[in-house]
Amino acid sequence: MAADFCPYVGLRPFTAAERAYFFGRERDQRVIAANLFASPLSVLYGPSAVGKSSVLQAGVVPQLATEPRTAIVYFATWQDDSYIHRLRAECAKAVAAAHGAPLDIDDALPIDEWLAQAAEKFRGTLLLVLDQFEEYLLYHSEDGDSSFDAELARIVNRRDVPANIMLGIREDGLAKLDRFRKRIPNLLGNLLRLRRLSPEAAREAITGPVEAYNRQGRTDGALPMQIEPALIDAVVDQVRAAHMQHSVTGGTGTTKAGDEGELIETALLQMVMTRLWRDATVVDGARVMRRASLDALGGARNVVKLHLYERMNELPPEGRAIAANLFQELVTPSGAKIAHTTDDLVAFAKQPATTVVPVLEHLARARLLRRVDPPERYEIFHDALASAILDWRAEYLQEIARQTALHEAEVQRKQFAQRRNRRIAAAVAILLVVAVSAFAAYAYREADRQRLIAAQSQARADKAEQLQQAAAHASEASERDKEVAELALQRGQLEVDSMKARLAGQLDKAAQLVAQAKSVDDRIATARTASAASSKQAQVNLAAAQTTQAKIDTINAQIEQKGIPLNKAVVPADTPAANAAAPPALAPAPAPATPTPAPTETPTKTTPQGDYKAIYRQAINARDRKRWSDAAQLFQSAASIRPDTGETISMPGFGDEQRYLPFYNLGVALQNMKDCAGAIKAWDQAEQAGAVMKSSRDADAMKKARAQCGGASR
């Protein structure tokens, strides 16, 4: 037994080789086996990821294989056109094993005729289990009497072919069997529905593999495994269908009401237990799966998301961009998987094969994709991943849109700053020219230039007002440009939300979001118009200031023409220069003084505003990805808008909910950043807000974390 052996199988189905660790389906496999043995055609269906392939491979097939003179075939490979040859080869192999020797039958015969001759020579029972039949219906169309549709119908309808068939199909593909109704009159006469696990069966599926593992004789020195009873209760509760409903993004809606919601999501139970097995800790000479490990993972609902995000974060940015393009082709908006050849996926990605193939290989190693061949194709590893993949892709596109909007806003800001700096430089230059000209004119005034001084002063006042108005209009244009940038961000968010709604089939919501986006477009247009008007008015004011400067220049020229010495000049008491000391006669003009910068205004403190729920969701997402620095900043932003209240915040994905405790979670992020002083301060604020203390679980967790940081509760 390998050191990394795990009796749970995660997302893949159990096989016959793992039958010793397959528990919880004993009654189901007896019922299915009895129907397969007794009926010419049975249809086994159930919800996606309910465990049909596991119960058939690890339960029904091994059980019936022990029956005397019984040849049973399990077949589920439908992606390529050689499936008929493969199916015939599997039938020949099974009959030879049951008969004790190969049968001499012409392989060129249609499969129904081949089975008829095999039955005549074998004189036993032939059982065909055709699993994942929805993929056959997806990849192969009905194309006449030579198709497998016709051959399958003849196997069922011919009385001289003693072969019983069971079709395993997903519940959402059951209606597609209608194409057989004309060929098989009693098509759905023996219909079996496989339900999700009951809570009692789920407990067997959890504890049975541990007990079987501990019974195995091990020579590799591996420690026995134990599991806390509290963990069993928590897992059974958290993987119920009512709690693990697929996200709206996945297009599958919510689970059915009533008893169905109390049943267990089988594939997700296996995935949770696989992760908990890996995270088991050693206690007193045994490995133990503990409830604390489940809590540390964020609960069962977060395990699939964590698995996906951890594997995607291992890719470089260009790899994630390629994966986002590939996922669009591998998963339909309704959550169905589609296989594509490697060449097709390279074409979809619009990147060289040397760049795309390593991404495909990484996703296959991470068990996000499965490679099937020949020919070489890729598909998502399990239906249970479809919803999480759609959510990841929508979030990735949202992040790209946000970064694009921020980049565009930064470009606009820099362009405006450059224009503003040019305007300021021009205004300063004009003011310096005015100051020099005024001082030079004053040095050569005569007694009768008093009238000209008054006119000059008025012109200078007019020009100052014109420059002030130009600055005000330029500032208004700046505010409108900033508003355009902010609205562009909002527009990008609405576009992403509209796309998600369309993917989810929420057309009304998508239409509302499109209408909101149009409203934002109107506001952007209005803001841009206002910015252009303000900029134009600023140019008008600057032009007026230049005209006034020309008037000042004319007055200065008239004063200079008088030619009267400066010591005869008289400055009236009511002029702006009345209190200034006159320079000595014929003294050289001093250099212009450096303008004193205007005092900086103290910014007015404003109350933080924003969608604290959206910020908190982003913070929780960053926390789950262990991006502690981003999480700390986002929790701080949310807390500055609204401190801890303990209210319930819904999260995307599998319907998760989180209590609104930004200060508490800020402390957790800072603790992971080795900033215990900051963490204790944040927890003090959380205690002061009081919401964290209303939950004994959160209060105990904070107390333990504070103790690890060396602080005591207040």
Side-chain angles (χ1 to χ4, degrees):
M1 186 179 299
D4 60 350
F5 173 79
C6 176
Y8 304 103
V9 296
L11 290 178
R12 67 174 179 81
F14 280 89
T15 64
E18 295 156 335
R19 186 183 185 189
Y21 303 101
F22 183 63
F23 290 87
R25 290 292 194 185
E26 290 77 8
R27 180 182 180 279
D28 292 323
Q29 71 185 46
R30 289 195 300 270
V31 172
I32 295 169
N35 279 268
L36 173 58
F37 208 84
S39 177
L41 177 63
S42 303
V43 178
L44 175 66
Y45 74 101
S48 173
V50 76
K52 297 182 298 298
S53 297
S54 291
V55 74
L56 289 172
Q57 290 190 87
V60 175
V61 172
Q63 176 182 334
L64 293 180
T66 62
E67 296 292 331
R69 302 200 61 76
T70 300
I72 184 166
V73 175
Y74 176 86
F75 189 80
T77 307
W78 306 102
Q79 290 87 353
D80 60 85
D81 293 334
S82 65
Y83 67 92
I84 294 181
H85 301 292
R86 291 189 179 192
L87 177 58
R88 184 182 288 109
E90 291 295 323
C91 291
K93 181 179 176 181
V95 172
H99 183 60
L103 299 180
D104 184 15
I105 304 175
D106 185 2
D107 288 339
L109 293 173
I111 192 169
D112 59 310
E113 185 61 33
W114 191 96
L115 290 173
Q117 293 191 20
E120 181 179 354
K121 295 180 179 181
F122 172 45
R123 298 188 180 279
T125 302
L126 300 178
L127 304 175
L128 274 65
V129 178
L130 306 181
D131 195 15
Q132 299 181 26
F133 202 67
E134 69 277 358
E135 295 188 7
Y136 167 75
L137 299 173
L138 175 65
Y139 292 117
H140 307 288
S141 61
E142 181 181 11
D143 54 6
D145 292 338
S146 62
S147 71
F148 182 65
D149 284 35
E151 293 183 354
L152 178 62
R154 290 198 296 269
I155 295 172
V156 175
N157 296 330
R158 287 179 58 172
R159 295 187 178 183
D160 60 336
V161 180
N164 292 346
I165 296 176
M166 174 168 285
L167 304 180
I169 189 169
R170 268 177 28 180
E171 190 169 36
D172 55 5
L174 191 62
K176 297 179 182 179
L177 289 175
D178 283 347
R179 75 194 227 186
F180 286 97
R181 285 191 180 276
K182 292 181 180 179
R183 288 189 167 102
I184 304 176
N186 194 24
L187 175 65
L188 302 180
N190 191 29
L191 195 61
L192 305 174
R193 184 175 189 269
L194 184 65
R195 304 180 69 196
R196 296 182 175 91
L197 285 174
S198 67
E200 295 75 15
R203 291 177 182 275
E204 294 179 13
I206 293 172
T207 59
V210 174
E211 295 171 357
Y213 173 83
N214 290 332
R215 286 194 299 267
Q216 296 291 327
R218 291 185 300 278
T219 60
D220 54 5
L223 298 175
M225 181 65 73
Q226 299 176 2
I227 182 169
E228 290 183 348
L231 175 60
I232 300 173
D233 295 336
V235 171
V236 171
D237 177 65
Q238 293 183 25
V239 298
R240 285 183 298 162
H243 287 177
M244 300 295 290
Q245 55 187 352
H246 295 322
S247 68
V248 175
T249 305
T252 54
T254 57
T255 57
K256 296 179 179 179
D259 293 340
E260 190 74 12
E262 297 302 314
L263 301 181
I264 307 303
E265 290 284 7
T266 314
L268 296 176
L269 180 144
Q270 287 291 320
M271 190 171 193
V272 170
M273 295 309 302
T274 301
R275 180 63 181 256
L276 291 172
W277 181 279
R278 189 180 75 186
D279 293 347
T281 56
V282 177
V283 179
D284 296 333
R287 298 177 66 207
V288 181
M289 289 187 284
R290 308 178 65 180
R291 167 65 186 268
S293 298
L294 180 63
D295 294 338
L297 290 170
R301 288 170 291 186
N302 209 36
V303 170
V304 173
K305 184 178 178 181
L306 282 174
H307 174 74
L308 174 65
Y309 278 73
E310 286 174 357
R311 302 292 81 79
M312 297 307 299
N313 286 339
E314 294 171 356
L315 288 170
E318 57 273 15
R320 290 194 290 273
I322 291 173
N325 288 334
L326 299 180
F327 285 154
Q328 183 179 17
E329 307 300 332
L330 292 167
V331 185
T332 69
S334 63
K337 63 181 182 181
I338 300 177
H340 287 290
T341 65
T342 303
D343 291 340
D344 285 344
L345 291 173
V346 170
F348 292 144
K350 299 179 181 179
Q351 296 288 336
T354 54
T355 303
V356 177
V357 170
V359 175
L360 291 170
E361 291 176 347
H362 170 82
L363 298 176
R365 288 193 302 271
R367 289 192 174 179
L368 299 178
L369 296 184
R370 175 191 287 111
R371 182 167 55 196
V372 293
D373 56 87
E376 184 179 80
R377 298 186 180 206
Y378 286 89
E379 64 182 6
I380 65 170
F381 194 85
H382 198 282
D383 294 338
L385 285 169
S387 178
I389 285 174
L390 291 174
D391 284 341
W392 176 86
R393 184 174 184 276
E395 183 177 330
Y396 172 83
L397 294 177
Q398 180 180 3
E399 178 64 18
I400 293 300
R402 186 185 71 85
Q403 292 178 4
T404 301
L406 288 175
H407 174 72
E408 293 177 353
E410 180 64 15
V411 170
Q412 292 181 5
R413 185 192 68 79
K414 289 181 178 179
Q415 291 175 347
F416 171 76
Q418 292 173 352
R419 293 195 301 268
R420 181 187 61 190
N421 291 338
R422 288 195 294 267
R423 292 168 183 164
I424 292 174
V428 170
I430 293 173
L431 289 174
L432 289 174
V433 171
V434 171
V436 173
S437 300
F439 189 82
Y442 176 78
Y444 298 98
R445 290 182 193 277
E446 295 179 348
D448 60 345
R449 84 186 213 277
Q450 300 302 326
R451 176 182 57 82
L452 296 176
I453 289 176
Q456 183 193 58
S457 298
Q458 181 60 49
R460 291 168 66 184
D462 291 344
K463 181 179 179 182
E465 181 178 358
Q466 290 160 354
L467 290 174
Q468 183 178 7
Q469 291 176 353
H473 286 299
S475 176
E476 176 65 22
S478 174
E479 290 299 319
R480 298 289 77 78
D481 288 344
K482 180 179 178 182
E483 181 181 355
V484 168
E486 293 173 348
L487 289 171
L489 286 174
Q490 182 179 351
R491 178 66 172 79
Q493 180 64 49
L494 288 170
E495 184 174 356
V496 171
D497 292 344
S498 174
M499 178 184 66
K500 290 179 66 177
R502 288 196 298 273
L503 289 175
Q506 297 177 334
L507 300 183
D508 292 341
K509 182 177 179 181
Q512 293 175 0
L513 292 170
V514 169
Q516 294 178 25
K518 185 178 183 303
S519 175
V520 173
D521 287 338
D522 294 338
R523 292 171 60 190
I524 290 175
T526 301
R528 284 177 174 164
T529 301
S531 174
S534 296
S535 297
K536 182 177 180 180
Q537 187 58 49
Q539 295 297 327
V540 170
N541 294 134
L542 288 174
Q546 292 176 350
T547 301
T548 303
Q549 178 62 41
K551 180 178 179 181
I552 293 172
D553 291 342
T554 300
I555 294 172
N556 290 341
Q558 293 175 358
I559 292 174
E560 185 177 1
Q561 290 175 0
K562 300 299 180 179
I564 300 175
L566 289 175
N567 56 1
K568 295 183 179 181
V570 179
V571 181
D574 58 351
T575 63
N579 296 323
L586 304 179
T594 302
T596 303
T600 303
E601 294 184 0
T602 302
T604 303
K605 185 175 182 180
T606 59
T607 302
Q609 295 181 356
D611 188 347
Y612 68 94
K613 293 183 179 180
I615 296 174
Y616 192 71
R617 293 187 184 100
Q618 296 178 19
I620 291 295
N621 197 3
R623 181 202 68 184
D624 290 346
R625 299 192 203 176
K626 296 181 172 37
R627 289 164 39 189
W628 300 117
S629 178
D630 294 345
Q633 294 179 12
L634 291 166
F635 282 129
Q636 181 66 60
S637 298
S640 66
I641 298 173
R642 189 180 183 89
D644 297 25
T645 63
E647 64 185 287
T648 298
I649 304 295
S650 62
M651 302 295 295
F654 290 100
D656 196 6
E657 293 181 345
Q658 295 282 340
R659 296 185 68 214
Y660 183 74
L661 302 170
F663 276 129
Y664 164 66
N665 282 291
L666 172 60
V668 173
L670 292 174
Q671 181 188 24
N672 280 277
M673 295 169 65
K674 311 303 182 185
D675 182 6
C676 275
I680 291 174
K681 182 178 178 181
W683 290 328
D684 288 343
Q685 292 174 300
E687 286 188 10
Q688 184 177 0
V692 71
M693 308 307 293
K694 295 180 180 179
S695 167
S696 59
R697 174 180 171 183
D698 292 332
D700 290 344
M702 187 171 72
K703 181 178 180 181
K704 292 178 181 178
R706 186 189 289 273
Q708 293 173 355
C709 268
S713 299
R714 296 191 304 171

